């Protein structure tokens, strides 16, 4: 018997994210009117790769790569190029005694190398601008002794104002329970664009739910937030402003570990309009949230202050940005005793995620500041004691489609709402029999035991619109149709989801997985240190 293909004809082609062995480029569709782009809007097949250690994830991607944009007929091409080939800036050594004066003098291409020690006067990134070819880099030491920034009252530790193309990495930000944020694009700034935050350790910022690990309160675009560890914050990341001004867009949030925040692990606020700035990114954009680990197993606020692990607000309702989209994939999101794991509205695609909540709901798609628009929920593994997937829409006809397809769901409650197609649904207690290991006494392994999760294949249109959907949570190619986040059964060839930074995961779209079950990412691969 032929299994009919799942038709997701409403999947948008706004984006074409691509990750190859070097994660060298990402497609972001545009109308080809980005003013600062260096090449004309034309077709190109350029692929520029960077080297990486054979054992896996490089210690710091931004140490060897810079971001360059090129326009093509398909969209904006975001290319990561080796920085040494583009920049011949200075390397300046700094210590806790002299670093503040040196930061203020940095020029495009400069690297400020901070010595180990305690830095007690904050890090002011004010009016610093590198370039795509020559970003400014501020980095901590590579050894076991960190550059530790100690919070002080009345000032956010890393303060960003009207700056762009600045990379900050390998620092420890210790809040000491003082009510200030660890990293903040300040509210009195006009913009903060192309900021990369990588391999930061953020602790001691949980004095209240309003204290944030990484916050933007001005127009922010082109950010990369990668490989950071945020533990016990009031809120892990709060991107945008509560009134819908100061949008955060065209960003990548990947490989972060956020544990035990009081409020959100990550929130991106709803947006009213794009900034009226000549330098601001234009065209249709995607914001990517991938391969993160977000857990609220402990410390979350109950009652009216309870928050989801991940909340995504709507894009501008009309005009520039209204066709933007969130892509949420490859994440392990777990453990929220008081709220759903994910809440979203607007345009969003959520796929290839592993969601586990023994104390509550999984995914809530519902009106918040507007309504859900084009929504695609597919190929997720959801284990939830509460409602696993809920799509709530206002009464009356809608011009938008919400598709819920090919998910593997384990819950006492049914999927509610949306256009449901070929989901595999089981009782909550059946997860122990269908999946490899879900008991608390064993390492969590939600990989299918056998072929009970086989289901109809996803329509080829989906893969064309969202190429990352061609691979599963492990990065293995979906050569066989399974419901849920994994494309196989038996022994799990990849990473076991846990409260650690996820190893680098590469979508193996152009090569098959070998007979030995070699995963698309190496289980020995080291996360950013």
């Amino acid at each position: 018997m032929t299994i009919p293909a799942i038709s997701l004809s409403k999947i948008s082609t706004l984006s074409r994210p691509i990750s190859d062995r070097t994660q060298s480029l990402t497609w972001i569709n545009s109308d080809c009117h980005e003013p600062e782009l260096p090449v004309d809007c034309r077709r190109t097949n350029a692929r520029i790769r960077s080297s990486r250690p054979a054992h896996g994830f490089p210690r710091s991607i931004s140490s060897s790569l810079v971001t360059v944009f090129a326009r093509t007929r398909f969209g904006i091409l975001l290319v990561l190029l080796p920085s040494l080939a583009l920049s011949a800036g200075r390397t300046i050594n700094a210590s806790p005694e002299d670093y503040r004066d040196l930061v203020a003098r940095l020029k495009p291409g400069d690297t400020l190398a901070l010595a180990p020690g305690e830095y007690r006067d904050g890090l002011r990134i004010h009016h610093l601008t590198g370039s795509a070819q020559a970003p400014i880099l501020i980095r901590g030491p590579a050894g076991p002794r960190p550059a530790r920034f100690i919070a002080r009252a009345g000032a956010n530790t890393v303060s960003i104002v009207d700056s762009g193309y600045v990379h900050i990495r390998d620092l420890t930000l210790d809040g000491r329970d003082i009510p200030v944020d660890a990293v903040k694009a300040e509210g009195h700034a006009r913009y903060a664009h192309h900021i990369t935050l990588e391999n930061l350790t953020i602790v001691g910022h949980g004095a209240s739910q309003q204290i944030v690990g990484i916050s933007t309160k001005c127009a922010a675009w082109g950010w990369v937030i990668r490989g950071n560890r945020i533990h016990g914050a009031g809120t892990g990341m709060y991107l945008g402003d509560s009134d819908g001004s100061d949008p955060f867009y065209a960003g990548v949030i990947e490989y972060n570990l956020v544990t035990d925040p009081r409020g959100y692990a990550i929130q991106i606020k709803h947006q009213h309009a794009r900034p009226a700035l000549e330098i601001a990114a234009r065209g249709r954009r995607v914001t990517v949230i991938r391969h993160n680990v977000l857990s609220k197993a402990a410390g979350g606020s109950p009652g009216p202050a309870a928050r989801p692990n991940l909340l995504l607000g709507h894009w501008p309702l009309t005009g520039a940005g209204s066709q933007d989209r969130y892509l949420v994939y490859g994440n392990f999101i777990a453990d929220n005793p008081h709220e759903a794991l994910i809440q979203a509205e607007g345009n969003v695609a959520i796929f290839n995620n592993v969601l586990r909540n023994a104390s509550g709901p999984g995914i809530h798609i519902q009106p918040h500041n507007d309504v859900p628009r084009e929504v695609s929920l597919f190929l997720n593994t959801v284990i939830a004691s509460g409602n696993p997937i809920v799509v709530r829409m206002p009464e009356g006809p809608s011009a938008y489609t919400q598709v819920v397809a090919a998910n593997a769901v384990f819950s006492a409650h049914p999927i509610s709402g949306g256009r449901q197609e070929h989901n595999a649904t089981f009782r909550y207690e059946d997860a122990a029999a269908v999946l490899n290991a879900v008991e608390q006494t064993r390492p969590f392994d939600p990989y299918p035991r056998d072929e009970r999760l086989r289901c109809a294949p996803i329509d080829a249109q989906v893969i064309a619109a969202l190429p990352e959907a061609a691979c599963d949570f492990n990065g293995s190619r979906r050569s066989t149709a399974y419901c849920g986040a994994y494309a196989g059964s038996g022994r799990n060839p990849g990473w076991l989801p846990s409260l650690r930074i996820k190893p680098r995961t590469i979508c193996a779209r152009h090569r098959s997985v070998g007979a030995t079950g070699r995963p698309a990412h190496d289980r020995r691969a080291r996360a950013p240190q």
Side-chain angles (χ1 to χ4, degrees), residues 6 8 11 312 325 328 342-344 348-353 355 362-366 372 374-380 382 388-392 401-409 415-423 458 462 466:
I6 297 171
L8 301 183
I11 291 282
L312 303 175
R325 191 179 184 92
V328 182
I342 298 177
Q343 180 181 325
V348 58
I350 301 173
F351 57 97
N352 281 346
N353 301 285
L355 308 179
I363 303 173
H364 281 181
I365 304 298
Q366 64 188 47
E374 294 296 336
V375 176
S376 303
L377 305 177
F378 60 100
L379 297 173
N380 300 288
V382 183
I389 300 175
V390 175
V391 179
R392 297 190 180 102
T401 302
Q402 300 79 43
V403 177
V404 183
N407 299 285
V409 171
I415 298 171
S416 175
R419 193 178 81 200
Q420 300 177 29
E421 300 182 3
H422 303 284
N423 297 285
I458 290 288
V462 177
L466 299 170

Side-chain angles (χ1 to χ4, degrees), residues 41-361:
C41 205
R42 64 178 181 267
R43 187 170 188 171
T44 176
N45 291 318
R47 296 179 68 86
I48 304 174
R49 297 171 180 264
S50 70
S51 62
R52 68 180 180 91
H55 57 260
F57 208 133
R59 184 174 184 277
S60 176
I61 293 175
S62 65
S63 64
S64 59
L65 303 175
V66 296
T67 303
V68 177
F69 289 93
R71 285 186 299 193
T72 75
R73 62 175 293 194
F74 300 108
I76 296 173
L77 182 60
L78 171 64
V79 185
L80 300 180
L81 297 178
S83 60
L84 294 178
L86 296 173
S87 168
R90 306 167 296 170
T91 296
I92 304 165
N93 294 318
S95 69
E97 289 73 33
D98 61 8
Y99 78 100
R100 284 193 55 145
D101 289 339
L102 295 172
V103 167
R105 301 173 191 168
L106 293 174
K107 304 297 182 184
D110 284 351
T111 295
L112 186 71
L114 300 174
E118 290 192 348
Y119 293 74
R120 294 182 173 273
D121 293 316
L123 183 58
R124 287 168 56 89
I125 311 299
H126 288 197
H127 309 288
L128 290 182
T129 303
S131 69
Q133 295 82 4
I136 293 169
L137 171 61
I138 300 171
R139 61 174 173 83
R145 295 180 57 221
R148 182 182 298 273
F149 281 76
I150 307 300
R152 74 257 195 241
N156 301 305
T157 302
V158 179
S159 172
I160 304 173
V161 173
D162 294 351
S163 297
Y165 293 108
V166 178
H167 296 188
I168 303 169
R169 75 166 199 260
D170 303 334
L171 306 179
T172 295
L173 308 179
D174 187 346
R176 302 285 174 94
D177 289 325
I178 297 171
V180 296
D181 293 345
V183 180
K184 190 163 195 171
E186 303 283 1
H188 60 273
R190 293 185 302 148
Y191 60 83
H193 68 88
H194 297 95
I195 304 295
T196 295
L197 304 174
E198 184 170 5
N199 197 27
L200 305 180
T201 297
I202 298 175
V203 295
H205 285 83
S208 75
Q209 192 159 314
Q210 285 66 47
I211 305 305
V212 185
I214 298 173
S215 173
T216 63
K217 289 294 180 288
C218 63
W221 65 92
W223 283 48
V224 176
I225 303 175
R226 175 192 294 128
N228 303 291
R229 296 166 174 83
I230 305 175
H231 177 71
T235 293
M237 303 180 199
Y238 192 103
L239 307 174
D241 215 340
S242 58
D243 62 359
S245 62
D246 302 319
F248 178 96
Y249 65 105
V252 176
I253 303 170
E254 63 181 5
Y255 296 104
N256 300 285
L257 171 64
V258 185
T259 51
D260 298 341
R262 293 190 183 205
Y264 307 103
I266 301 174
Q267 180 185 29
I268 302 180
K269 292 299 296 183
H270 65 288
Q271 303 174 15
H272 290 317
R274 286 289 148 82
L277 295 169
E278 186 176 345
I279 64 170
R282 295 178 173 85
R284 294 176 293 179
R285 300 286 176 143
V286 295
T287 291
V288 178
I289 303 163
R290 62 187 175 195
H291 307 309
N292 302 283
V293 175
L294 312 177
S295 171
K296 294 188 62 176
S301 297
R307 299 291 186 267
N309 298 41
L310 173 64
L311 189 142
L312 303 175
H314 67 77
W315 301 109
L317 301 184
T318 59
S322 61
Q323 299 300 309
D324 281 20
R325 191 179 184 92
Y326 296 108
L327 301 184
V328 182
Y329 62 89
N331 303 283
F332 174 44
I333 305 180
D335 306 326
N336 190 328
H338 309 295
E339 257 286 3
L341 300 175
I342 298 177
Q343 180 181 325
E345 62 182 356
N347 302 319
V348 58
I350 301 173
F351 57 97
N352 281 346
N353 301 285
V354 172
L355 308 179
R356 180 193 70 193
N357 196 358
S359 304

Side-chain angles (χ1 to χ4, degrees), residues 388-512:
I389 300 175
V390 175
V391 179
R392 297 190 180 102
M393 294 292 293
E395 293 185 4
S398 173
Y400 307 103
T401 302
Q402 300 79 43
V403 177
V404 183
N407 299 285
V409 171
F410 300 86
S411 177
H413 307 275
I415 298 171
S416 175
R419 193 178 81 200
Q420 300 177 29
E421 300 182 3
H422 303 284
N423 297 285
T425 58
F426 297 84
R427 298 177 304 169
Y428 180 73
E429 56 268 27
D430 290 340
V434 178
L435 307 178
N436 280 345
V438 296
E439 305 88 345
Q440 293 184 352
T441 57
R442 301 172 59 191
F444 181 58
D445 183 1
Y447 202 75
R449 284 179 181 267
D450 50 38
E451 296 196 351
R452 278 177 284 183
L453 291 183
R454 288 285 297 271
C455 67
I458 290 288
D459 194 292
Q461 294 181 51
V462 177
I463 308 304
L466 299 170
E468 292 292 352
C471 296
D472 71 359
F473 180 87
N474 285 336
S476 300
R477 186 169 180 82
R478 288 188 175 274
S479 57
T480 306
Y482 280 81
C483 285
Y486 294 101
S489 60
R491 180 179 176 273
N492 187 345
W495 179 65
L496 300 185
S498 61
L499 301 188
R500 302 173 65 88
I501 285 185
K502 185 179 180 181
R504 189 179 182 204
T505 303
I506 304 154
C507 186
R509 286 188 302 277
H510 304 298
R511 60 187 178 89
S512 60

